[in-house]
Amino acid sequence: MHRKDWVRRPSGRLLRRDAPRSSDHVVAGFLLVLGLLHSPIAAQTSTSPRPTIAALRIDTPIRVDGVLDEAAWDQAPVGSDFTAREPEDDRAAAQRTEFSVVYTEDILYFGIRAFDSQPEAIVAKELQRDSDHGRNDDSLAIVLDTFHDQRNSFSFEVNPLGARTDSLVTDEGKDQNVEWNGVWNATARRTAEGWQAEVAIPFSTLRFDPAESTWGLNVRRVVRRTNEESYWAPIGREIGPRAVSRMYAAHWVSLAGDLTGISGVKPGRRLDVKPFVLASAAEEPRAQTGGTVDDIDGGIDLKWGLTKSLTLDLTYNTDFAQVEVDQQQVNLTRFSLFFPEKREFFLENAGIFEFGPPSPGGGMRPPLMKAFFSRRIGLDRGEEVPIDLGARLTGRAGAWNLGLLTVGTEAVAAGNRPETAAAQHSVFRLKRNLGERSSVGMIYTELDPRVGEGNRLYGVDLDYKPNRQSTFYLFGAGTEDQGRSRDAGALGTGWGYTTRTIRANVDLMEAQAQFNPGSGFLLRRDFRRYNPRVRWEPRINRGVVRSLALEVELDYFERESLGHVESRRLLLAPIGMRTTGDDRFRLAFVDEIEQLFEPFEIRPGIVIPPGLYRFNSIFLRGFSNQGRRLAWRGNINAGEFFGGDRQSYVLSSFVRLSRHLLTEFQWNYNDVTLPQGDFTATIYTVRLDAAFSPDLRLNTLAQYNEAAQLAGVNVRFNWIYKPGANLFVVYNHNWDAPTFSARETARRELIVKFNYLWQP
């Protein structure tokens, strides 16, 4: 096959009808790029020296009270000389930061002094765990590359009130798991010279090689009032930002400094046992059975460190009652909605299972495809499906990354809905590190229902990073569903390039008509996609303007089996601005084409007939500095829509009444006028988060979906009475609501869940 056979033909098709199947292209391209990895260009070395700090071994544990008065802090080496990245990079940080590292056999400690010339102006408003402190408050973050593989990391962040945030990061930001909650502690306090923090991270929380005495380390500081962002190991703006919203430059652990001197420590307890007991009472007044259903149940989770870097997780009779409900969304498309995973069992090392194209729009739009999506397990059409037994083996062995998961679910009959059959979901993921930052891998998934035919997926992928500005990926996959494997392949590739002012990407993908990842997520079926985009963001620092932005994007889909356009979205954003106060605005013009091959019922009784539709709109988006006491964000979209008109508004306001109380009000409104009929779709959301301390909080989420005629309240009380152990009290109340004043209770329930962490 010659290269010219991949050029798009005048007919609009990417491949000739007589071209080899997608799997042939995958193998050819895979072997070609794999050969490049062993060429001299694959040698990726850093020429700039990185800072180093030695950890001091101590015999007496540190009292984590935010007062650095132990003698060990005076004896330990000091890391300093932070370098700014924002608002100007490659200069000494305006505010001085110093830190030291000490450790015992069981715990790693950080003592950090954040000096400030205006201590009275320090921004500290949030006590909530897992808030975005780096965007909202002054903060300190520690990023640890415990295997020194320059790819994966743990991050631990604390603000001046001692509120904590943590996450697991895979492949320097390909995936960031912010839902992960490790067992660690931190205390911070204000001083006359600024503020300081003590952080204690048990070695049992980390995965590392005891024989490796050098870890990757970076420390990041944010001074919110001046929006200064500085790092111990310098990272200039030529290293572009990551797509994930909470990513920061320190997650580029290939540019981290070195933490040395760690030896003779325990790699963690080999076994964590977390039993739980749950009591619940539920009532469905209008159900045929009526009355109240009471239940007492229990289960257990075990975490077993088989080796220094391989962890086996087991779960029995798993329950996720404490997980916050999903936020309601308006869907005016023909495609599925996407909701993120929040359940603890599926979170740790979840990035190992990532396979497929990157999420578009910096994670703000749903992904096009996931070969494995854990929300397929234990959930069906928004209802919980009981999990009998689950096992997960994840970790690393040398240059290999391994993920193995199998979970069984029960059969469920749910009223008038079809019965959900019992099933077994299994996933096997294997990746091999190549060079410093590249990798090659494969994935296999299997959905095995107890009744009927199963589904299988096979895939191979490559991530190639010749330098820190460029990245290339390639993947191919095929599925077998009910014995059919014909026209069931998918192929994707992409390239990205980032400099200080330019970010350019292009993604190509096709999925054949029968491609069906049964344990995964696929936004569309039977498509071929071209998605080039360029963003130019020069830094000007004039007046109140820090930088300008210009962006162009084409997102083109055609029906793969027909070769005809299905969707085309051309976005031109000539006006974008980021202010010195970290407020951001963006104005875009959007030209869209949508071709319906079959009727589209956008709302009950309103059906858009097949045909080719073209419409234009204007899109305005902005948000203020989220660290202010009153903050806002919003989107406004107005223009043509399927032969009619649409006006869409998503407006959110955040009010921090005190360090203990945060409120959010969101209005999501769509007014659609079509030749077939008119309708509005409105969702009102109110969130009230009360944090009495970093370990004691009460969260309330109230929602009213006018179009779906549903209203609901989710109230969650969480007390972390010791690290890793929780008490949850959850109240859910759902209404059928033709109007809000005429609502009738559909279901209400009260749940009390208690779990305990035992480490023998």
Side-chain angles (χ1 to χ4, degrees):
M1 174 65 68
H2 296 290
R3 183 177 179 84
K4 66 181 181 180
D5 294 313
W6 288 86
V7 178
R8 185 178 174 192
R9 301 300 188 219
S11 65
R13 298 195 56 76
L14 178 64
L15 299 175
R16 301 182 319 196
R17 283 295 184 185
D18 60 345
R21 295 176 58 82
S22 295
S23 58
D24 297 330
H25 293 306
V26 172
V27 173
F30 194 75
L31 293 176
L32 173 63
V33 182
L34 183 59
L36 292 175
L37 290 172
H38 296 285
S39 68
I41 194 173
Q44 305 162 20
T45 59
S46 176
T47 58
S48 59
R50 312 306 294 168
T52 299
I53 190 171
L56 175 68
R57 178 70 178 256
I58 59 176
D59 298 321
T60 304
I62 297 291
R63 181 182 178 184
V64 183
D65 56 5
V67 180
L68 280 67
D69 55 356
E70 288 86 356
W73 296 126
D74 296 325
Q75 299 166 5
V78 176
S80 59
D81 298 328
F82 278 54
T83 302
R85 174 182 166 93
E86 295 286 353
E88 298 179 17
D89 64 344
D90 296 330
R91 64 164 177 79
Q95 305 295 341
R96 182 162 55 99
T97 309
E98 297 179 351
F99 72 94
S100 297
V101 187
V102 302
Y103 68 99
T104 64
E105 184 181 41
D106 301 305
I107 300 177
L108 180 67
Y109 298 95
F110 286 81
I112 311 176
R113 293 182 173 90
F115 297 94
D116 199 306
S117 59
Q118 296 177 265
E120 71 283 354
I122 291 171
V123 178
K125 298 186 178 71
E126 295 196 359
L127 272 171
Q128 284 277 357
R129 179 162 186 172
D130 289 336
S131 291
D132 197 353
H133 303 130
R135 177 175 292 180
N136 305 333
D137 285 348
D138 282 44
S139 67
L140 294 164
I142 298 161
V143 175
L144 291 170
D145 173 10
T146 55
F147 285 95
H148 211 215
D149 61 7
Q150 302 186 42
R151 301 165 185 267
N152 309 294
S153 59
F154 298 83
S155 70
F156 305 90
E157 188 170 3
V158 62
N159 76 351
L161 299 176
R164 306 187 299 277
T165 297
D166 48 18
S167 66
L168 298 176
V169 178
T170 303
D171 289 338
E172 296 191 298
K174 185 175 182 179
D175 176 75
Q176 183 186 21
N177 188 341
V178 297
E179 302 292 343
W180 175 76
N181 288 322
V183 177
W184 61 292
N185 192 22
T187 303
R189 65 177 60 224
R190 307 273 281 268
T191 70
E193 298 178 313
W195 65 286
Q196 56 193 32
E198 284 182 315
V199 178
I201 307 170
F203 286 112
S204 58
T205 297
L206 306 171
R207 301 290 174 261
F208 61 95
D209 184 353
E212 176 64 63
S213 61
T214 300
W215 294 2
L217 168 68
N218 211 342
V219 179
R220 171 206 193 224
R221 180 182 177 186
V222 170
V223 180
R224 188 72 279 161
R225 72 178 182 278
T226 60
N227 298 313
E228 181 177 76
E229 178 184 333
S230 60
Y231 294 86
W232 174 60
I235 302 178
R237 285 203 316 274
E238 69 275 5
I239 304 301
R242 285 303 197 186
V244 183
S245 60
R246 292 197 190 182
M247 288 297 303
Y248 34 80
H251 290 135
W252 282 88
V253 288
S254 59
L255 295 173
D258 288 338
L259 173 63
T260 64
I262 297 178
S263 62
V265 299
K266 294 181 179 179
R269 294 179 176 90
R270 292 296 184 185
L271 184 63
D272 291 353
V273 182
K274 186 180 284 190
F276 77 85
V277 177
L278 179 144
S280 65
E283 181 184 18
E284 297 184 12
R286 292 182 297 159
Q288 293 181 353
T289 56
T292 301
V293 178
D294 301 323
D295 188 27
I296 296 179
D297 204 355
I300 192 168
D301 294 328
L302 295 93
K303 186 181 295 291
W304 183 15
L306 299 178
T307 70
K308 61 194 176 186
S309 57
L310 285 175
T311 302
L312 176 65
D313 291 276
L314 300 173
T315 183
Y316 170 70
N317 200 25
T318 312
D319 182 88
F320 304 110
Q322 77 280 7
V323 176
E324 184 184 66
V325 299
D326 291 318
Q327 188 159 336
Q328 293 280 315
Q329 301 181 35
V330 173
N331 188 8
L332 298 180
T333 74
R334 312 186 298 284
F335 312 108
S336 300
L337 293 173
F338 180 84
F339 296 93
E341 180 61 85
K342 300 179 180 180
R343 299 170 295 174
E344 182 179 358
F345 175 74
F346 296 104
L347 293 178
E348 185 171 354
N349 286 332
I352 288 177
F353 295 98
E354 285 295 312
F355 179 98
S359 297
M364 301 192 65
R365 286 185 273 162
L368 195 56
M369 165 200 159
K370 280 183 174 288
F372 170 65
F373 183 41
S374 58
R375 279 187 63 111
R376 294 291 188 206
I377 305 174
L379 290 169
D380 181 59
R381 293 179 287 266
E383 299 293 330
E384 183 175 345
V385 177
I387 292 178
D388 286 329
L389 184 66
R392 195 176 64 135
L393 178 66
T394 57
R396 297 167 180 84
W400 295 93
N401 299 271
L402 171 68
L404 179 63
L405 180 145
T406 182
V407 178
T409 58
E410 299 178 7
V412 175
N416 297 324
R417 288 171 29 196
E419 181 182 44
T420 300
Q424 191 77 24
H425 293 259
S426 301
V427 187
F428 175 63
R429 179 74 161 116
L430 188 65
K431 289 176 64 177
R432 176 68 162 82
N433 296 340
L434 296 172
E436 287 188 8
R437 301 171 59 245
S438 301
S439 64
V440 61
M442 58 80 63
I443 192 170
Y444 170 77
T445 74
E446 179 176 295
L447 171 58
D448 183 16
R450 308 293 167 81
V451 179
E453 298 285 344
N455 173 278
R456 297 174 180 83
L457 178 144
Y458 311 85
V460 292
D461 64 337
L462 169 89
D463 279 324
Y464 176 47
K465 300 173 182 176
N467 53 57
R468 292 186 177 89
Q469 281 70 49
S470 302
T471 181
F472 171 84
Y473 72 86
L474 173 70
F475 73 87
T479 61
E480 296 178 1
D481 191 13
Q482 297 180 352
R484 298 193 302 268
S485 59
R486 194 174 169 79
D487 295 329
L491 172 69
T493 186
W495 169 84
Y497 181 73
T498 304
T499 69
R500 293 171 68 90
T501 58
I502 294 288
R503 192 188 313 169
N505 300 81
V506 59
D507 295 289
L508 309 173
M509 181 180 171
E510 74 168 44
Q512 295 177 316
Q514 300 300 322
F515 179 72
N516 176 31
S519 293
F521 176 85
L522 190 65
L523 186 65
R524 296 174 178 247
R525 296 184 183 275
D526 189 11
F527 70 86
R528 182 174 293 120
R529 182 201 195 197
Y530 314 90
N531 182 215
R533 54 200 183 277
V534 177
R535 180 182 177 89
W536 180 53
E537 190 171 2
R539 184 64 60 93
I540 62 173
N541 287 323
R542 294 181 182 175
V544 298
V545 180
R546 178 183 296 181
S547 61
L548 299 175
L550 169 65
E551 186 171 3
V552 179
E553 178 180 3
L554 172 65
D555 205 0
Y556 179 91
F557 288 89
E558 64 181 37
R559 183 68 64 92
E560 191 274 338
S561 59
L562 300 176
H564 299 310
V565 62
E566 183 171 17
S567 301
R568 192 216 67 193
R569 182 175 186 266
L570 177 62
L571 178 145
L572 174 62
I575 301 174
M577 178 190 305
R578 181 181 180 188
T579 71
T580 54
D582 209 26
D583 303 311
R584 306 187 191 203
F585 305 91
R586 180 192 189 207
L587 177 65
F589 302 95
V590 183
D591 178 67
E592 295 183 74
I593 289 177
E594 290 286 344
Q595 180 158 213
L596 302 182
F597 295 99
E598 49 273 326
F600 171 34
E601 187 173 22
I602 191 168
R603 279 294 178 271
I606 301 179
V607 180
I608 304 174
L612 184 66
Y613 298 85
R614 181 168 185 170
F615 39 92
N616 299 304
S617 61
I618 298 177
F619 178 79
L620 176 64
R621 180 182 178 211
F623 59 89
S624 69
N625 185 327
Q626 301 299 291
R628 296 182 183 135
R629 189 171 297 278
L630 175 62
W632 61 270
R633 65 177 63 182
N635 301 329
I636 300 174
N637 194 336
E640 302 164 322
F641 188 69
F642 285 108
D645 297 294
R646 178 184 67 171
Q647 294 181 354
S648 174
Y649 309 91
V650 181
L651 303 174
S652 299
S653 63
F654 304 84
V655 182
R656 290 174 175 80
L657 301 175
S658 72
R659 71 173 74 177
H660 301 286
L661 199 59
L662 170 67
T663 62
E664 176 188 356
F665 304 91
Q666 185 180 98
W667 178 53
N668 188 332
Y669 175 76
N670 286 267
D671 184 359
V672 179
T673 302
L674 297 172
Q676 297 78 26
D678 305 338
F679 66 91
T680 60
T682 309
I683 296 176
Y684 303 92
T685 302
V686 179
R687 185 186 298 273
L688 180 65
D689 293 338
F692 308 102
S693 76
D695 296 320
L696 188 66
R697 58 185 176 179
L698 178 69
N699 304 107
T700 301
L701 177 64
Q703 303 179 87
Y704 174 47
N705 188 328
E706 190 178 54
Q709 300 184 356
L710 297 173
V713 172
N714 172 237
V715 182
R716 299 167 62 247
F717 171 81
N718 180 205
W719 175 32
I720 306 174
Y721 63 91
K722 78 168 195 174
N726 298 262
L727 171 67
F728 295 96
V729 180
V730 181
Y731 176 71
N732 292 309
H733 198 142
N734 298 319
W735 294 269
D736 291 327
T739 64
F740 188 74
S741 59
R743 63 192 183 278
E744 294 184 42
T745 296
R747 178 181 174 85
R748 55 187 169 217
E749 63 179 346
L750 177 67
I751 302 165
V752 179
K753 181 175 180 178
F754 172 84
N755 62 33
Y756 180 80
L757 177 62
W758 179 49
Q759 297 176 309

